[in-house]
Amino acid sequence: MHNSKIHILVIEDDPAYMNLLKLRLAAERKAVFSAVFAATLQKALERLKQEPFDLVLLDLFLPDSSGLDSLEAVRKQSPHLPVVILTALPDEDVGLQAVKSGAQDYLIKGEVDPHMFFRVIQYALERKRMEAYLRNSEERTRLIIETANDAFVAMDSSGLIVEWNRRAELMFGWPRSSVIGKTVADVILPPQHREAHQEGIKHFLASGEGPILNRRVELNALHKDGREFPVELTVWPAYSGDEYRFNAFIHDISGDRKLQQMKDEFVSTISHELRTPMTIIREGVLQVLEGLHGETTENQKKFLTMTLGGVDRLKHIIDRLLDISKLESGRVLLDKELSDIVQIAREVNAAFLPRAQAKGLEIREIFPADSLRVYLDKNKMIQVFTNLMDNALKFTDKGFIEVSVLDGPQSVECRVRDTGRGIPKDDLGRVFSKFEQFDRQMGPGEKGTGLGLAIAKGLVESHRGKIKVESRAGEGTQFIFFLPKHSVDDIFKEYLARGIRAALTEKACLSVLLFEVQDYDSLLTKMAPAPIDHLLKELGKKLKEGVRQRVDTALEGGHRFYAGLPSTRRETADFISKRIRQVFDETIKKEGLSDVVRIRSKVIGFPEDGHTAEELMFLLRAV
């Protein structure tokens, strides 16, 4: 990357995310960064006039501008400056549209770990520098490619290799002279990916679209000696002469995987080695306290009770540390299902009601809808509400705590508001930082780990949501978080990506089933909503029953049903699909809807039909 300081303009209006970016830039050891922050587009454009920058990190939604208009204004001001988009939206089309409009890359907030963050900046600077050299000299471009830290491979529209840098020689074991003119598929792709690779090229040349273009994709590559190893690649098309050329930077992530495995093993060891003795200690103290080993005095019971409380607190601290460790390493796996978030909020409120009443506090609820179903991880969302309610109770001595869940067109808005002590303005920027405990009192009273709000923020962002705080000292505090409304297609694509990574690691296969009600929109005009909704719920239940014990996930969403079958071959998946289809037909007949409801089904497999989640989803939706 750069040996000198890299000067970045960050255009972002969220103070909490500004803080996170500051910490990440300051903590990076592979490069030295300096950053200037601007909260509005107008201030950013003024700074661009005043001083030179190496890179811009741009939030598309600002107080004085939104969407691609923000990107266009920055590029108009500084046309050759690389721009990386920051977005909290779950729809990757927004990021891809920004890339097509001139951005170098995009980051989805809440999904970015430190390694990815640095890598994206690195790729953005390298690609932009490459474009600049291309304008001046082909020889200068070749020099950049040859000195890149990652492998660079380019192929023409026939899939033949036309560029192969020194790093590619070292990574794959093939000298440049041996691969120029050969197909990429035969040289670096394992056999199970080759057919999908050829189909991907054909699809792009026919439509101008490709599921892996301008994205970071992880897959297995093939070394000269026959071994497979994990890589992360970024591929982008370039029109050269009278044909397309495909360029790719390829990064060997074997070391990252090994390091992550070591971290996982460490966390697992800590979990086992600390929790097991604590369980034994707690059980022993409890038995003595309950008199199972002889009578105890009141004074002894007092100290045993204190010991028991200390053990429980230590377990709570360890659990929180493990939670934050998983969030920071990106190892939190979400089990998203269509869940009633209003019911989740009600359950958490009910659990806190005794504590609130003991302090003389009222818990108020604002739920305009009795039920609001969105795709989320129910247990993780319970933890978010629990952490926010726990924080509100700790710092509210009189008045009330109000919980609201409001429906919006693109997202669900949740609020936890209290009439407590509030947070001083100077401390607001540190609210979501780890181990921060404002107004902590010494001695007895409410104590915490200082991790609850950091965990809540991490869990919200892992749902691709956004959280913020509003407060005034002495007037109370409210935490507001937004959860995007995902479609069943979005959620299943996430599960597919996870399933493919597992299949690659285990060298296994994966089959995918789709069941869809045909002509659904037309059906809605012919029938009342109630019987259709009832039928869809019944079909969702039948799907989960039909694939139990073999399924990685089964998802329902409107008129579409998906199932993923790990380590299941295509022939077996076809049999399961026919069996479920038969059950669906019987259910439809039982509901008296055989004359109007028809089901379409489809079965595809990894790796024979595609090697990325995007490719498989494209094939599933294709009629």
Side-chain angles (χ1 to χ4, degrees):
M1 205 169 169
H2 284 274
N3 292 323
S4 58
K5 184 178 291 186
I6 299 167
H7 198 36
I8 298 178
L9 175 61
V10 182
I11 311 174
E12 168 64 59
D13 65 324
D14 183 346
Y17 202 73
M18 280 188 186
N19 265 340
L20 177 60
L21 291 176
K22 287 178 182 177
L23 290 173
R24 283 192 175 160
L25 293 172
E28 184 52 60
R29 296 181 179 179
K30 297 179 182 178
V32 180
F33 296 96
S34 64
V36 172
F37 290 82
T40 65
L41 179 64
Q42 186 59 41
K43 290 181 180 179
L45 296 177
E46 291 172 3
R47 293 306 295 258
L48 287 171
K49 291 179 182 178
Q50 296 169 4
E51 59 185 300
F53 291 91
D54 297 306
L55 180 83
V56 172
L57 294 176
L58 171 64
D59 187 344
L60 284 180
F61 296 92
L62 300 166
D64 57 343
S65 180
S66 64
L68 295 179
D69 290 342
S70 304
L71 174 62
E72 183 178 353
V74 171
R75 295 197 71 239
K76 183 177 181 181
Q77 179 81 17
S78 302
H80 302 310
L81 192 61
V83 179
V84 173
I85 298 301
L86 303 171
T87 177
L89 296 177
D91 189 356
E92 292 182 349
D93 289 340
V94 175
L96 294 177
Q97 284 295 326
V99 171
K100 289 179 181 179
S101 300
Q104 288 295 312
D105 211 333
Y106 68 97
L107 292 168
I108 298 178
K109 297 178 182 179
E111 291 191 350
V112 184
D113 59 37
H115 295 294
M116 181 187 294
F117 181 72
F118 176 78
R119 239 180 257 156
V120 167
I121 292 179
Q122 179 186 25
Y123 288 173
L125 290 169
E126 290 294 337
R127 286 202 298 269
K128 200 65 179 181
R129 187 178 298 112
M130 187 180 298
E131 291 175 6
Y133 277 109
L134 279 171
R135 287 192 296 268
N136 299 321
S137 164
E138 181 67 28
E139 185 59 35
R140 189 172 293 180
T141 301
R142 185 175 298 279
L143 178 63
I144 293 296
I145 291 173
E146 284 302 311
T147 57
N149 289 327
D150 289 330
F152 177 82
V153 178
M155 69 178 186
D156 63 18
S157 56
S158 299
L160 301 179
I161 297 171
V162 295
E163 289 291 347
W164 185 268
N165 72 348
R166 174 60 180 162
R167 182 61 66 177
E169 291 182 328
L170 297 173
M171 184 179 295
F172 296 102
W174 291 99
R176 187 176 189 274
S177 58
S178 298
V179 299
I180 296 297
K182 291 187 177 180
T183 64
V184 167
D186 291 336
V187 176
I188 66 174
L189 288 182
Q192 65 266 26
H193 296 329
R194 291 172 185 170
E195 184 179 348
H197 165 75
Q198 296 296 342
E199 290 300 319
I201 294 177
K202 292 178 183 177
H203 176 67
F204 174 81
L205 295 177
S207 66
E209 298 178 352
I212 70 169
L213 296 178
N214 299 306
R215 300 183 67 253
R216 292 176 302 280
V217 178
E218 291 186 12
L219 48 76
N220 277 4
L222 186 67
H223 192 272
K224 181 183 178 182
D225 62 14
R227 63 182 170 86
E228 295 184 18
F229 62 100
V231 298
E232 180 185 77
L233 79 157
T234 304
V235 184
W236 72 98
Y239 198 72
S240 177
D242 59 352
E243 70 170 2
Y244 275 102
R245 168 172 150 164
F246 301 91
N247 303 312
F249 273 117
I250 306 172
H251 181 72
D252 185 346
I253 58 175
S254 300
D256 294 345
R257 290 273 180 90
K258 186 175 181 180
L259 180 60
Q260 188 59 59
Q261 183 180 356
M262 292 172 62
K263 289 180 179 178
D264 291 345
E265 290 174 354
F266 174 75
V267 170
S268 177
T269 300
I270 289 293
S271 174
H272 176 75
E273 295 299 329
L274 290 180
R275 283 177 172 172
T276 301
M278 276 196 306
T279 301
I280 296 171
I281 293 170
R282 190 183 193 282
E283 181 61 24
V285 171
L286 193 60
Q287 288 185 14
V288 175
L289 185 61
E290 292 177 349
L292 298 180
H293 301 286
E295 294 186 7
T296 55
T297 67
E298 289 301 318
N299 197 42
Q300 288 172 334
K301 288 180 180 179
K302 175 183 176 182
F303 280 99
L304 287 170
T305 302
M306 290 171 57
T307 302
L308 200 61
V311 171
D312 289 342
R313 175 165 162 71
L314 182 58
K315 180 182 181 299
H316 177 69
I317 292 172
I318 292 172
D319 289 343
R320 288 291 178 93
L321 287 171
L322 292 173
D323 286 341
I324 202 71
S325 173
K326 290 178 181 178
L327 284 167
E328 289 182 335
S329 64
R331 292 184 298 108
V332 173
L333 298 179
L334 300 181
D335 185 17
K336 292 182 183 177
E337 289 188 330
L338 206 54
S339 302
D340 186 351
I341 192 170
V342 171
Q343 183 59 31
I344 289 172
R346 284 196 174 109
E347 290 175 3
V348 174
N349 290 349
F352 278 91
L353 186 59
R355 280 179 58 189
Q357 291 175 337
K359 293 186 70 173
L361 300 175
E362 177 188 0
I363 293 182
R364 299 179 180 178
E365 297 179 341
I366 300 179
F367 303 140
D370 290 334
S371 175
L372 181 54
R373 302 215 306 167
V374 291
Y375 285 101
L376 51 80
D377 185 312
K378 182 176 180 179
N379 290 331
K380 299 295 188 300
M381 201 48 53
I382 288 173
Q383 191 173 0
V384 171
F385 276 108
T386 297
N387 289 2
L388 296 180
M389 285 291 291
D390 184 63
N391 184 78
L393 272 170
K394 284 178 183 176
F395 301 106
T396 304
D397 299 318
K398 59 181 180 179
F400 61 85
I401 298 171
E402 181 180 272
V403 180
S404 60
V405 177
L406 307 174
D407 192 10
Q410 302 296 327
S411 63
V412 174
E413 177 186 317
C414 304
R415 295 175 180 248
V416 176
R417 182 168 72 95
D418 64 58
T419 55
R421 306 168 203 171
I423 303 169
K425 184 178 180 180
D426 293 343
D427 292 333
L428 280 175
R430 297 183 290 119
V431 163
F432 295 107
S433 300
K434 291 183 297 183
F435 305 111
E436 290 288 354
Q437 298 188 67
F438 303 108
D439 199 22
R440 171 70 180 266
Q441 304 294 322
M442 297 300 291
E446 296 278 9
K447 297 180 177 66
T449 60
L451 293 173
L453 295 179
I455 290 171
K457 182 175 186 292
L459 291 175
V460 169
E461 291 180 348
S462 69
H463 282 78
R464 299 187 184 180
K466 193 171 184 178
I467 188 170
K468 63 180 182 178
V469 59
E470 296 175 355
S471 183
R472 288 187 180 181
E475 297 183 13
T477 302
Q478 71 170 337
F479 288 90
I480 309 165
F481 65 92
F482 302 87
L483 297 176
K485 291 181 175 179
H486 298 290
S487 69
V488 66
D489 294 343
D490 296 331
I491 301 302
F492 193 68
K493 187 164 73 171
E494 292 180 8
Y495 280 114
L496 265 185
R498 186 193 305 174
I500 289 172
R501 287 195 295 271
L504 286 171
T505 301
E506 300 167 5
K507 298 189 184 321
C509 57
L510 171 70
S511 291
V512 181
L513 314 181
L514 167 69
F515 303 92
E516 185 175 33
V517 176
Q518 296 186 54
D519 301 322
Y520 181 68
D521 291 338
S522 174
L523 193 63
L524 290 176
T525 64
K526 301 175 183 177
M527 295 179 57
I532 298 178
D533 290 344
H534 176 72
L535 174 64
L536 294 177
K537 288 179 181 178
E538 287 299 310
L539 294 180
K541 292 178 184 177
K542 298 297 182 183
L543 174 64
K544 292 182 180 180
E545 292 172 0
V547 294
R548 63 179 181 273
Q549 297 179 346
R550 297 188 62 89
V551 69
D552 180 55
T553 185
L555 285 176
E556 57 166 309
H559 66 295
R560 199 172 288 133
F561 306 86
Y562 289 107
L565 305 173
S567 301
T568 304
R569 296 190 175 279
R570 179 68 173 268
E571 313 84 69
T572 306
D574 283 329
F575 173 77
I576 295 173
S577 176
K578 289 176 183 177
R579 179 163 52 82
I580 295 173
R581 182 69 185 272
Q582 182 180 359
V583 173
F584 274 21
D585 289 341
E586 291 173 356
T587 304
I588 293 170
K589 183 178 181 180
K590 183 179 178 182
E591 297 292 328
L593 299 173
S594 298
D595 294 337
V596 290
V597 177
R598 296 286 184 274
I599 297 291
R600 177 179 81 93
S601 62
K602 195 166 188 177
V603 180
I604 62 172
F606 167 86
E608 61 267 28
D609 294 319
H611 58 269
T612 68
E614 288 76 14
E615 289 175 348
L616 295 179
M617 288 300 295
F618 176 80
L619 291 173
L620 280 173
R621 291 194 293 263
V623 178

